[in-house]
Amino acid sequence: LRAARLKGAQIGDSDLSGADLQAAELGGAAFSNSKLTGARVARMSAAGASLAGCELADVDLSGLDLSGCDLGGAVLSRARFAGCDLSEARLAEADARGADFGGARLVRTDLSGADLRETNLARATLDRCRLNGAQLGGADLRDARLESCRAAGIDFTSTQLAGTAFPGCDLADTSFEGLDVSGQSFRDADLSRARLRGVRLRGAELREATLAGADLSGADLSGASCHTADFSGALLEGANLQGADLRCARLEGARLA
C-alpha cells in the first residue's frame, strides 16, 4: 500500500498490522475499527480520514496532517503525534495513554472523555478544544497554551504545568491543589468552584477571571493581577494577597479570615 491512492476508500474492520502506508493518500477514506499496529505511515496524507476505533498503539504519526481525522475511540497508547496538525480532529473516548503530542496543533479538537494520562503535551497548542471528561493524570503540559478550551471538572493536580497558559478556558470545578502556577495566565478563565487550596499564583494573570465559589484557602496570590476578577463567595482564608492588584475585583461574600 506504499504511496497508494486510497481517497474515499472503505476498508473498515481490516487487519493491516505492519502495513506500509508511507506516502499513501487516505483523505476521506474509512478505516474504522481496523488494526494498524506496527504500520509505517511516514508522509501519509490522512486529513479527513476515519480511523475511529482503530488500533494504532506505538505507531509514529509525527508531523502528519491529521486535520479533520476521526480517531474517536481509537487505541493510541504510546503513539507519536509530535508536530501533527490535529485541527478539528475527533479523539473523543480515545485511549491515548502515554502518547506524544509534543508541539502538536489542536484547534477545535474533540478530546472529550479521552484517556490522556501520562501523555506529552509540552509546547502543544490547544485552541477551543473540548476536554470535558478527559483524564490528564501525569500529563506533561509544560509550555502548552490552552486557549478558550472546555476543561471543566478536570483534575490537574498530578500534571506538569510549568509555563502553561489557560486564557479564556472553562476551568469550572477543576482542581489545581498544591500546584505552582506562578506567573501563568488565567485571564478571562472561568475557575468557578475550582479547588485551589495552597496553590502558588504569585504574579499570575487573573484579570477578568471568574473565581466565584473557588477554594483559595492558603493560596499565594502575592503580586497577582486580579483586576476585575470575580471572587464572590470564594474562600480566601489564609491566602496571601500582598501586592495583588484587586482594583474593581468583586469580593461579595468572600471569606477572607
Side-chain angles (χ1 to χ4, degrees), residues 46-50 65-71 85-90 107 109:
S50 175
D65 181 0
L66 298 172
S67 56
C69 191
D70 186 356
L71 290 155
D85 185 354
L86 285 155
S87 299
E88 300 188 349
R90 178 176 176 269
V107 179
T109 305

Coordinates of all heavy atoms in Angstrom, one line a residue, residues 46-50 65-71 85-90 107 109:
A46 N -3.7 11.9 5.6 CA -4.9 11.3 6.2 C -5.9 12.4 6.6 O -6.8 12.0 7.4 CB -4.5 10.4 7.3
A47 N -5.8 13.6 6.1 CA -6.8 14.6 6.5 C -8.2 14.2 6.1 O -8.4 13.7 5.0 CB -6.4 15.9 5.8
G48 N -9.1 14.2 7.1 CA -10.5 13.9 6.9 C -10.7 12.4 6.9 O -11.9 12.0 6.7
A49 N -9.7 11.6 7.1 CA -10.0 10.1 7.1 C -10.6 9.7 8.4 O -10.5 10.3 9.5 CB -8.6 9.4 7.0
S50 N -11.3 8.5 8.4 CA -11.9 8.0 9.6 C -11.1 6.8 10.0 O -11.0 5.8 9.4 CB -13.4 7.5 9.3 OG -13.9 6.8 10.4
D65 N -0.4 15.6 8.7 CA -1.7 16.4 8.7 C -2.8 15.4 9.0 O -3.3 14.7 8.1 CB -1.8 17.1 7.3 CG -3.1 18.0 7.3 OD1 -3.8 18.0 8.3 OD2 -3.3 18.6 6.2
L66 N -3.4 15.5 10.2 CA -4.5 14.7 10.6 C -5.7 15.6 10.8 O -6.6 15.2 11.6 CB -4.1 13.9 11.8 CG -3.0 12.9 11.6 CD1 -2.6 12.3 13.0 CD2 -3.3 11.8 10.7
S67 N -5.7 16.7 10.2 CA -6.9 17.6 10.5 C -8.2 17.0 10.0 O -8.2 16.4 8.9 CB -6.6 19.0 9.7 OG -6.4 18.8 8.3
G68 N -9.2 17.2 10.8 CA -10.5 16.6 10.5 C -10.6 15.1 10.5 O -11.6 14.5 10.2
C69 N -9.5 14.4 11.0 CA -9.5 13.0 11.1 C -10.3 12.5 12.3 O -10.3 13.1 13.4 CB -8.0 12.5 11.3 SG -7.8 10.8 11.1
D70 N -11.1 11.4 12.1 CA -11.9 10.8 13.2 C -11.1 9.7 13.8 O -10.9 8.6 13.2 CB -13.2 10.3 12.6 CG -14.1 9.8 13.7 OD1 -13.7 9.8 14.9 OD2 -15.3 9.4 13.4
L71 N -10.6 9.9 15.1 CA -9.9 8.9 15.8 C -10.7 8.6 17.1 O -10.1 8.1 18.1 CB -8.5 9.5 16.2 CG -7.5 9.6 15.0 CD1 -6.4 10.6 15.3 CD2 -6.8 8.3 14.7
D85 N -0.8 18.2 12.9 CA -1.9 19.1 12.8 C -3.2 18.3 13.1 O -3.6 17.5 12.2 CB -2.0 19.8 11.5 CG -3.1 20.9 11.4 OD1 -3.9 21.0 12.4 OD2 -3.2 21.6 10.4
L86 N -3.8 18.4 14.2 CA -5.0 17.7 14.6 C -6.2 18.6 14.7 O -7.1 18.3 15.4 CB -4.8 17.0 16.0 CG -3.8 15.7 15.9 CD1 -3.2 15.5 17.2 CD2 -4.6 14.5 15.4
S87 N -6.1 19.7 13.9 CA -7.2 20.7 14.0 C -8.5 20.0 13.5 O -8.6 19.3 12.5 CB -6.9 21.8 13.0 OG -5.8 22.5 13.5
E88 N -9.6 20.2 14.3 CA -10.9 19.7 14.0 C -11.0 18.2 14.0 O -11.9 17.6 13.4 CB -11.5 20.4 12.8 CG -11.6 21.9 12.9 CD -12.4 22.6 11.8 OE1 -12.7 21.9 10.8 OE2 -12.7 23.8 12.0
A89 N -10.0 17.6 14.5 CA -10.0 16.1 14.6 C -10.8 15.7 15.8 O -11.1 16.4 16.7 CB -8.6 15.5 14.7
R90 N -11.2 14.4 15.8 CA -12.1 13.9 16.8 C -11.3 12.7 17.5 O -11.0 11.7 16.9 CB -13.4 13.4 16.3 CG -14.3 12.7 17.4 CD -15.6 12.4 16.8 NE -16.5 11.7 17.8 CZ -16.5 10.4 18.0 NH1 -15.7 9.6 17.2 NH2 -17.2 9.8 18.9
V107 N -6.7 22.5 17.1 CA -7.7 23.6 17.1 C -9.1 23.0 16.9 O -9.3 22.3 15.9 CB -7.4 24.6 15.9 CG1 -8.4 25.7 15.9 CG2 -6.0 25.2 16.0
T109 N -10.4 20.7 18.4 CA -10.2 19.2 18.5 C -11.1 18.7 19.7 O -11.1 19.3 20.7 CB -8.7 18.9 18.7 OG1 -8.0 19.5 17.7 CG2 -8.5 17.4 18.7

